[in-house]
Structure formats: C-alpha cells, structure tokens
Amino acid sequence: MTTLTVALIDDEPLARLRLRTLLAQTEPACEVVGEFGESVAALLWLREQDAVGQGPDMILLDIQMPGLDGMVLAARLRELRDPPAIVFVTAHAEHAVRAFDVAALDYLTKPVRLERLQASLGRVQRWRQAQPRLQALDADVVVVQDRGRMLRIPVADVLYFKAEQKTVTLHTATEVHPVSESLTELEARVGARFIRVHRNALVARRAMKALQRRVDGEDEEGGETWAVQIMPTQVWLAVSRRQVTAVREAMGDCH
C-alpha cells in the first residue's frame, strides 16, 4: 500500500496530537503534511495545494470550530479540482447524518480508537484506488481565481503567460487572469508546447505568427530589439536577443 498524505484540522491541540500519535501506528503508512487549528487558514492552504496538484489524500476534520465550522469547510472543498477524502472527527455524534450530506467518507467520534481509525484509512485507500488522482490533468489545465471562483483554463486555450511587476497573468484570445504560479513553474509544467521568448514571457508555439526586428531602441541586453506577434490577438511581445534563434527555429517547426 502507498503512503497516504493527511491534513489535520482541529482547534484542540491535544486532539491533533492524539491523531498524530495514532497515525504513526497505522497501515497503510500516513504522512501528516498539514496541521491547522482553524478552518480559514486550512482552506487557503488546501486551495493552494490543489492548484499545483499537491493536495493531501485525506483530511481528518473537526466539526465545531471557531470561524468556518467543519461542515462549511467540507462543502467548500467540493469545489476543488481534486478534493481530498474527508473523515470527520468530533465528539458530537448527532452530526453524523449531516456529515454524509457533504460527501464525507467516514465519521469518527472522540476519543478516536486505533482500530476505528485504521478502518477509515482502509476506506480512504480503496476510494483513492477507485478514483485516481488527476495527475494527467495537471499538465493540461491552469487553475485561476476569478472574482472568488476557481476556474480551470485548458492549456490549449492559452496564448501566453506574462510576468509584470511580480504578477503573472494568463492570456487567452478573450480573457486575462492572474496566476499563482511563477513562469518557471509554468514552464516546467506545460512542457514543449510553450517557449520562453523573454524572461517575462512564455508563449505557445502555435500562437506565434511573426518574428520581427524592432526599430524602437535597444533591449536591456544592449543589442537590437526583436518581437513576436501573437495570433489571433495581434499582440507583440518582446523577444530577448539570446532567444531570437530559438524562436525562429520554433516558428519554422510550427509553420
């Protein structure tokens, strides 16, 4: 069996400590990758991890907590691209029916017994095997935030990514969205379909229409300036002098 990654979300430090102690004794092996005493910080972290395809396999989640309670958090997690398995851990057995309304895999009452936790982990393991992680999808979509919503933009729709003033934006033919990943991270993820034309721009090879020498001064490297035109928007992006040959060759391969 593979190791399960687990996040603990409970406002009681002793409850989290007990869960850590029990998880150290279970099979399959478990790795605690996150621990939170309240839900808001946990939600932000889980969204960040989901966006880069590194979310935990499961969360052990208390229900009654300050701020967002566990039920509300569980409902929010259903919006993730690859939501973790949810196992509620609480002293209040009367919440059991509601727990399954938000698609929890299991419900444990405090104090948690090792045998009962072991059974929950087995259930999570079987669920994970039946629903493989979206690893193949990670390279084919970029997750962005848009007015409080999370959107999955297909990489096939992206014309270019551009970095300006410490912000990276994703550009399609009709939309612009901020992206949480750096250009370096995006370049590693989208692979050979894109080319770095400048330190501040990563362009889809298929979107390059024309490469042209510019007459509006010298670039920051002290040489002549070049730019590539992006279709269908007709936007011109600067090409660094050291990348001109690579861009020219890429355009020859694509056209």
Side-chain angles (χ1 to χ4, degrees):
M1 292 186 178
T2 58
T3 299
L4 287 173
T5 54
V6 184
L8 309 179
I9 308 173
D10 194 312
D11 64 323
E12 299 177 6
L14 289 178
R16 299 196 304 271
L17 177 60
R18 176 170 175 78
L19 288 173
R20 275 185 171 274
T21 301
L22 292 175
L23 288 168
Q25 306 173 53
T26 59
E27 288 291 341
C30 294
E31 178 187 2
V32 177
V33 294
E35 183 174 328
F36 301 89
E38 53 89 20
S39 295
V40 174
L43 178 59
L44 293 175
W45 180 80
L46 287 163
R47 284 174 171 171
E48 291 172 356
Q49 298 303 303
D50 181 70
V52 295
Q54 296 178 359
D57 293 306
M58 66 175 292
I59 58 173
L60 292 170
L61 176 61
D62 192 14
I63 292 180
Q64 292 190 331
M65 291 183 290
L68 297 178
D69 72 10
M71 292 293 181
V72 174
L73 176 60
R76 297 278 181 88
L77 295 181
R78 295 174 69 178
E79 301 170 2
L80 297 182
R81 178 167 50 108
D82 189 15
I86 297 171
V87 174
F88 281 114
V89 183
T90 180
H92 304 282
E94 64 270 19
H95 295 304
V97 174
R98 288 181 59 212
F100 294 106
D101 287 341
V102 291
L105 273 191
D106 208 348
Y107 184 101
L108 304 176
T109 54
K110 299 177 180 178
V112 177
R113 294 180 293 107
L114 178 60
E115 296 79 5
R116 187 68 183 83
L117 176 61
Q118 183 72 66
S120 287
L121 295 178
R123 181 174 294 182
V124 171
Q125 186 84 7
R126 291 189 294 273
W127 181 76
R128 273 296 176 207
Q129 291 171 348
Q131 301 187 51
R133 306 302 295 266
L134 303 180
Q135 294 172 343
L137 187 59
D138 288 341
D140 293 316
V141 299
V142 179
V143 178
V144 301
Q145 294 276 356
D146 179 52
R147 288 168 291 191
R149 299 180 302 158
M150 296 188 72
L151 302 177
R152 289 165 47 196
I153 308 297
V155 171
D157 291 348
V158 179
L159 302 179
Y160 61 94
F161 301 96
K162 190 170 184 182
E164 293 181 295
Q165 299 180 344
K166 299 183 180 180
T167 299
V168 177
T169 50
L170 171 159
H171 298 251
T172 71
T174 58
E175 301 175 339
V176 178
H177 296 285
V179 182
S180 61
E181 297 168 83
S182 69
L183 284 184
T184 300
E185 291 169 331
L186 289 164
E187 186 175 16
R189 195 151 69 81
V190 298
R193 291 170 290 179
F194 285 68
I195 183 171
R196 191 73 165 262
V197 301
H198 193 279
R199 65 182 180 83
N200 69 357
L202 182 63
V203 176
R205 292 171 182 262
R206 59 175 175 76
M208 297 188 295
K209 179 180 180 182
L211 176 66
Q212 180 175 304
R213 182 186 289 110
R214 307 306 294 262
V215 295
D216 51 357
E218 295 186 344
D219 70 7
E220 60 192 28
E221 298 169 335
E224 58 190 357
T225 63
W226 290 80
V228 63
Q229 190 178 34
I230 308 302
M231 59 180 187
T233 61
Q234 311 305 317
V235 168
W236 288 91
L237 297 177
V239 177
S240 66
R241 182 161 49 91
R242 70 183 64 181
Q243 286 299 107
V244 170
T245 299
V247 171
R248 184 182 288 120
E249 291 175 353
M251 292 182 64
D253 291 339
C254 296
H255 294 87

